[in-house]
């Protein structure tokens, strides 16, 4: 007599997607009414501002370029795992490729922000698209691509993505564009990035389809076309003011305004801790979900967590117009994130409870990202912003390298310990924000010009 083992498959309810959509819709729709009643001072109508047309034109064009870049990042993150499985790459080799990628981000990517400040931000954005174009062509023309070459290029592209577009937006807004659009641009960047990542997943699934042999290269073709469109769009707007600062002047300014300012160190520490927790989440979220042996459709979970990030970003304009300082808001958000990861690390949960905690975690991420960008505008000079961001991610990449070695090769740490370490980092980030508030002698003075 045979024994039939029934497999249990967990899928999120369709009501989750409806809830996310409606929450984002009401958050965006009700905010203008809230602002009209609770704004501290009445400002002239937006359309009466003389630079309204040029400011809005730049914001739309910039968000288009940023969305294209996010699609490229999402294509490789979603399609890359499937590609490794298709070519029969083992788990040990996958860990090796990850080590190579994070090593490139640590030893090379950490200094790309300094180079961006010297050569220009739009040139850095152009280099980002060129990296993706090279990887797409490389994978399209080779039957068995060299993954370590692709990982190095994509890791460097991700490093550029982390600072180049933000610094470009801030510098352009400083050239006469409306400054009140800058905060709006910050949260729209997070919102459009999350939406583009969801779109890239849909695109990858649609292109691959069911015929793997014929359609395995389709995402590479899409990446090539998207990169070409990005290069053309960047070239059309290229022609900003040339960089006149010398390396010697930049070095002196960086030491004076960045390395000698405790507030910048606190801000960089919080940023590094957040980035580390996000990387840990994306590495361990799948093993954590399937720990009890049940099957989970990760493709249905991916839009949920990114939708939560979109929802969190729509809350940002509510908080910056509330009687609450940005540092205070970040303290609470970091503490909530730390508590959520602590529960995930030390307390076994059903999949539904885990998904809820993932949802809240990424909702906080959506709120924190534009808030940190706003603080960087308040404390970091524009001319040094790229170098500050890229160097602040160096400790994160070093920590990820260490954890990959200990977990992937030597098996000396468990997943729960890694998640607990990320939770400790988030509590440390909350402490940094608390101290930053105490140290900020002129908290809302935009002194970002040297």
């Amino acid at each position: 007599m045979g024994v039939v083992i029934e497999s249990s498959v967990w899928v999120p309810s369709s009501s989750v997607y409806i809830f996310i959509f409606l929450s984002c819709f009401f958050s965006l729709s009700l905010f203008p009414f809230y602002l009209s009643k609770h704004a501290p001072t009445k400002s002239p109508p937006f359309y009466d501002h003389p630079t309204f047309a040029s400011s809005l034109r730049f914001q739309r064009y910039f968000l288009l370029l940023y969305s294209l870049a996010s699609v490229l990042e999402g294509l490789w993150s979603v399609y890359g795992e499937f590609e490794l499985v298709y070519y029969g790459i083992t788990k040990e080799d996958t860990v090796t490729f990850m080590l190579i990628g994070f090593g490139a981000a640590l030893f090379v990517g950490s200094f790309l922000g300094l180079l961006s400040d010297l050569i220009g931000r739009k040139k850095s954005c152009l280099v980002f698209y060129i990296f993706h174009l090279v990887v797409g062509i490389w994978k399209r023309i080779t039957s068995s691509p060299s993954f370590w070459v692709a990982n190095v290029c994509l890791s460097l592209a991700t490093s550029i993505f982390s600072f180049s577009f933000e610094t470009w937006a801030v510098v352009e807004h400083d050239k006469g564009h409306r400054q009140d659009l800058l905060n709006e641009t910050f949260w729209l960047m997070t919102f459009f990035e999350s939406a583009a990542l969801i779109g890239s997943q849909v695109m990858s699934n649609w292109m691959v389809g069911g015929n793997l042999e014929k359609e395995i290269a389709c995402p590479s073709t899409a990446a090539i076309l998207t990169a070409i469109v990005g290069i053309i769009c960047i070239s059309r707007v290229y022609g900003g003011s040339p960089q006149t600062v010398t390396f010697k002047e930049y070095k002196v300014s960086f030491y004076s305004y960045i390395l000698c300012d405790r507030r910048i160190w606190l801000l960089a520490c919080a940023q590094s801790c957040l980035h580390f927790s996000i990387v840990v989440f994306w590495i361990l979220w799948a093993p954590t979900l399937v720990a009890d042996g049940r099957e989970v459709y990760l493709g249905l979970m991916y839009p949920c967590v990114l939708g939560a990030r979109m929802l969190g970003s729509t809350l940002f304009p509510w908080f910056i117009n509330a009687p609450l300082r940005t540092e205070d808001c970040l303290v609470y958000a970091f503490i909530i994130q730390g508590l959520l990861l602590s529960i995930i690390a030390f307390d076994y949960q059903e999949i539904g409870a885990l998904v809820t905690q993932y949802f809240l975690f990424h909702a906080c991420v959506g709120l924190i990202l534009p808030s940190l960008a706003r603080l960087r505008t308040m404390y970091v000079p524009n001319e040094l912003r790229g170098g500050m961001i890229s160097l602040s991610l160096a400790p994160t990449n070093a920590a990820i390298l260490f954890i990959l070695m200990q977990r992937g090769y030597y098996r000396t740490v468990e997943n729960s310990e890694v998640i607990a370490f990320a939770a400790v980092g988030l509590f440390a980030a909350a402490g940094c924000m608390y101290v930053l508030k105490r140290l900020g002698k002129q908290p809302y003075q935009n002194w970002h010009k040297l």
Side-chain angles (χ1 to χ4, degrees):
M1 179 177 179
V3 178
V4 178
I5 301 177
E6 296 183 358
S7 61
S8 176
V9 180
W10 193 92
V11 294
S13 172
S14 58
S15 59
V16 175
Y17 305 102
I18 298 175
F19 170 77
I20 294 174
F21 175 80
L22 292 179
S23 299
C24 291
F25 175 78
F26 284 118
S27 178
L28 295 174
S29 301
L30 297 178
F31 174 70
F33 300 98
Y34 169 82
L35 187 62
S36 62
K37 294 183 178 181
H38 297 85
T41 57
K42 287 202 171 185
S43 56
F46 181 74
Y47 50 83
D48 289 343
H49 199 279
T51 60
F52 165 71
S54 61
S55 300
L56 195 59
R57 190 183 309 115
F58 168 76
Q59 186 190 60
R60 290 174 176 176
Y61 204 81
F62 170 79
L63 290 174
L64 170 63
L65 289 170
Y66 189 74
S67 298
L68 290 175
S70 301
V71 168
L72 287 172
E73 289 286 294
L75 274 175
W76 296 125
S77 63
V78 174
Y79 172 67
E81 296 181 9
F82 170 78
E83 190 181 32
L84 292 174
V85 175
Y86 176 81
Y87 286 106
I89 305 300
T90 63
K91 291 184 178 181
E92 291 74 15
D93 290 336
T94 301
V95 173
T96 301
F97 293 142
M98 294 179 66
L99 288 172
I100 293 174
F102 281 105
L106 173 61
F107 297 108
V108 180
S110 300
F111 304 99
L112 292 179
L114 306 174
L115 183 62
S116 172
D117 290 335
L118 292 172
I119 67 174
R121 290 86 189 172
K122 283 182 283 188
K123 285 185 179 178
S124 298
C125 296
L126 186 64
V127 172
F128 167 85
Y129 286 111
I130 291 175
F131 270 128
H132 280 280
L133 178 62
V134 170
V135 173
I137 294 176
W138 175 266
K139 292 190 175 185
R140 195 69 177 86
I141 64 177
T142 56
S143 58
S144 182
S146 177
F147 289 100
W148 73 267
V149 174
N151 271 21
V152 168
C153 292
L154 293 178
S155 295
L156 295 180
T158 301
S159 298
I160 296 174
F161 180 78
S162 65
F163 62 82
S164 59
F165 287 92
E166 179 186 314
T167 54
W168 180 28
V170 173
V171 170
E172 288 297 323
H173 276 85
D174 213 35
K175 294 180 180 178
H177 295 290
R178 287 178 56 98
Q179 289 299 310
D180 57 352
L181 269 182
L182 187 56
N183 289 331
E184 180 180 303
T185 302
F186 287 151
W187 74 263
L188 283 176
M189 287 173 65
T190 304
F191 187 88
F192 277 90
E193 178 188 0
S194 303
L197 291 176
I198 297 175
S200 64
Q201 181 205 23
V202 175
M203 186 186 305
S204 297
N205 293 334
W206 174 72
M207 285 184 297
V208 173
N211 193 338
L212 302 182
E213 295 293 337
K214 292 184 178 180
E215 300 175 356
I216 185 66
C218 287
S220 299
T221 303
I224 293 172
L225 296 177
T226 305
I228 291 175
V229 172
I231 291 173
I232 294 174
C233 293
I234 285 284
S235 301
R236 285 186 57 188
V237 299
Y238 188 76
S241 57
Q243 301 297 114
T244 57
V245 63
T246 64
F247 175 74
K248 183 178 180 180
E249 294 172 339
Y250 181 85
K251 182 174 64 174
V252 173
S253 299
F254 196 87
Y255 178 80
S256 302
Y257 288 92
I258 302 297
L259 299 181
C260 292
D261 193 336
R262 289 182 295 173
R263 296 175 297 180
I264 304 298
W265 282 91
L266 293 170
L267 187 58
C269 179
Q271 178 178 312
S272 182
C273 292
L274 174 68
H275 188 69
F276 176 79
S277 67
I278 294 175
V279 174
V280 167
F281 171 85
W282 287 120
I283 293 177
L284 297 180
W285 77 300
T288 305
L289 280 174
V290 300
D292 64 349
R294 283 194 289 178
E295 185 179 354
V296 179
Y297 290 155
L298 297 178
L300 298 177
M301 295 295 308
Y302 190 72
C304 288
V305 294
L306 291 177
R309 185 183 295 193
M310 295 173 66
L311 176 59
S313 67
T314 64
L315 299 178
F316 172 75
W318 290 79
F319 281 97
I320 63 172
N321 289 281
L324 183 69
R325 286 186 52 165
T326 305
E327 295 91 335
D328 291 328
C329 176
L330 286 173
V331 168
Y332 300 139
F334 279 129
I335 291 176
I336 292 174
Q337 280 190 310
L339 291 174
L340 290 171
L341 288 190
S342 300
I343 295 173
I344 295 173
F346 296 111
D347 186 20
Y348 174 80
Q349 300 287 324
E350 288 291 331
I351 294 182
L354 277 175
V355 172
T356 302
Q357 292 165 34
Y358 288 171
F359 183 93
L360 294 175
F361 176 84
H362 276 274
C364 291
V365 171
L367 176 62
I368 290 173
L369 289 176
S371 300
L372 287 177
R374 185 171 188 245
L375 287 182
R376 284 192 289 270
T377 303
M378 292 156 51
Y379 291 111
V380 183
N382 286 350
E383 292 79 1
L384 311 174
R385 192 184 187 109
M388 177 266 176
I389 296 176
S390 64
L391 283 180
S392 67
L393 298 182
T396 297
N397 293 322
I400 293 296
L401 276 175
F402 175 77
I403 286 175
L404 285 175
M405 289 289 294
Q406 298 300 317
R407 176 58 180 162
Y409 282 128
Y410 304 115
R411 307 288 181 179
T412 56
V413 295
E414 299 295 332
N415 292 343
S416 59
E417 296 174 339
V418 176
I419 298 175
F421 185 58
V424 172
L426 291 171
F427 289 129
C432 290
M433 290 297 99
Y434 177 78
V435 177
L436 179 64
K437 176 187 175 182
R438 301 291 297 271
L439 291 179
K441 298 179 181 179
Q442 297 173 325
Y444 292 107
Q445 179 183 2
N446 290 324
W447 59 283
H448 48 264
K449 275 196 171 184
L450 295 179

